[in-house]
Amino acid sequence: MAGKILLLNGSPKKERSNSLLLAHSFVEGLTASGSFETETVHISALNIKPCHGCLTCWVREDATCVIKDDDIPALRKKIEDADIVILCAPLFLFGLPGTVKVMMDRLLGMVNPYYGKPIPADGSALHGFFKPHPGQRFVLISSCAWVEKEVVYASVFSQLDMILGKGGYLALTTPQMNAIIYHAGGRRLVKMQSDYKKAGEEYAATGTVRAETVAYLARPMFSESVYQQFFEKIWRRQDGEYQLYGMDKKSD
């Protein structure tokens, strides 16, 4: 029986997402064996109402949310059934996009209630899953403009560490993404997509990705001086138009 991959795209750009380009390449490598079926869900296309903060999901026997008339119940079922959940999203001001946070808030019932216990010293999840899926794996794929991975992603990693536990997920991040796409005719993008495909193949074969591969994907592809010149061309336009090396001016 084929395993199920759920690809959650957290970018408001949907199919035009830069991070999604990398996620598709990773999934291509992961599914090369033909033993997986993949479903992609664009989070920003869903009807997701904000969490009320009532915590009643934690007192219900089935841990379901009080809000029933949006897309969260169906999405939660997809997540519970998936063997591999891949969240791809850009970094927005040192955090995940707002639509992703709203989704995560509404999925609170998927983890056990908080009983006032200290944060586990061994790095395990603070809550643990209410209804665990044996062998389920989680992957974050994210791109950003910044370079210093451990600094700019600190809040994202901290949140995922508490939800999934340290080592409970694979995080693949790539800096300087806009420059990779729009500089030098996109040749570096082709190389990066190839690297992500190889990472997917490695994940399929071993169930993980080596630390060396993670570091290689997170390497800056441009020197500091070249990267600064790239931004000079973006922000120093005199005609007032927003255009990023041919990017759609209406791009969000």
Side-chain angles (χ1 to χ4, degrees):
M1 182 176 179
K4 293 183 179 180
I5 299 173
L6 179 63
L7 175 56
L8 298 174
N9 177 22
S11 171
K13 295 180 182 179
K14 301 183 179 68
E15 287 291 349
R16 294 187 296 113
S17 165
N18 295 339
S19 296
L20 186 60
L21 290 174
L22 304 181
H24 280 325
S25 296
F26 181 83
V27 170
E28 182 181 356
L30 177 57
T31 59
S33 64
S35 58
F36 291 98
E37 59 181 46
T38 306
E39 179 180 4
T40 301
V41 174
H42 300 292
I43 297 172
S44 62
L46 301 179
N47 173 26
I48 301 179
K49 297 180 179 179
C51 175
H52 290 171
C54 64
L55 303 182
T56 54
C57 56
W58 276 350
V59 299
R60 287 192 176 83
E61 187 174 346
D62 61 359
T64 57
C65 181
V66 66
I67 304 172
K68 307 293 186 184
D69 59 343
D70 67 358
D71 291 327
I72 282 294
L75 179 61
R76 175 171 169 172
K77 182 65 166 56
K78 292 179 186 293
I79 295 173
E80 290 175 341
D81 290 345
D83 297 295
I84 302 176
V85 179
I86 301 174
L87 171 62
C88 72
L91 190 70
F92 279 10
L93 200 60
F94 315 116
L96 296 175
T99 49
V100 177
K101 182 61 168 65
V102 172
M103 176 197 73
M104 294 173 71
D105 288 346
R106 287 289 311 287
L107 295 173
L108 179 65
M110 291 188 67
V111 300
N112 293 313
Y114 174 59
Y115 294 107
K117 297 180 180 180
I119 295 175
D122 63 357
S124 58
L126 181 59
H127 293 268
F129 280 100
F130 166 73
K131 186 177 167 182
H133 178 142
Q136 188 176 48
R137 292 181 284 169
F138 296 89
V139 179
L140 170 70
I141 294 177
S142 179
S143 63
C144 68
W146 295 280
V147 176
E148 299 83 355
K149 169 184 174 177
E150 298 303 328
V151 176
V152 298
Y153 278 99
S155 62
V156 175
F157 293 159
S158 177
Q159 183 180 27
L160 293 179
D161 284 351
M162 285 188 282
I163 296 172
L164 300 172
K166 289 183 181 293
Y169 62 98
L170 168 67
L172 302 177
T173 60
T174 293
Q176 301 180 338
M177 190 60 188
N178 281 335
I180 290 173
I181 290 178
Y182 296 105
H183 188 77
R187 292 192 299 273
R188 288 178 176 83
L189 174 60
V190 174
K191 176 65 168 62
M192 186 59 69
Q193 288 176 300
S194 175
D195 292 339
Y196 265 85
K197 181 180 178 181
K198 292 176 183 177
E201 293 170 350
E202 182 179 336
Y203 195 66
T206 67
T208 187
V209 173
R210 294 170 301 154
E212 294 83 358
T213 301
V214 174
Y216 184 72
L217 295 175
R219 74 196 187 285
M221 297 191 76
F222 299 90
S223 67
E224 182 177 335
S225 60
V226 170
Y227 200 46
Q228 288 178 355
Q229 291 175 16
F230 173 80
F231 279 104
E232 284 289 325
K233 293 180 180 180
I234 296 173
W235 307 125
R236 297 290 182 179
R237 290 287 298 269
Q238 299 299 315
D239 57 10
E241 291 287 350
Y242 172 75
Q243 188 174 1
L244 185 56
Y245 289 90
M247 179 187 287
D248 180 2
K249 295 178 183 179
K250 296 181 180 179
S251 176
D252 47 2

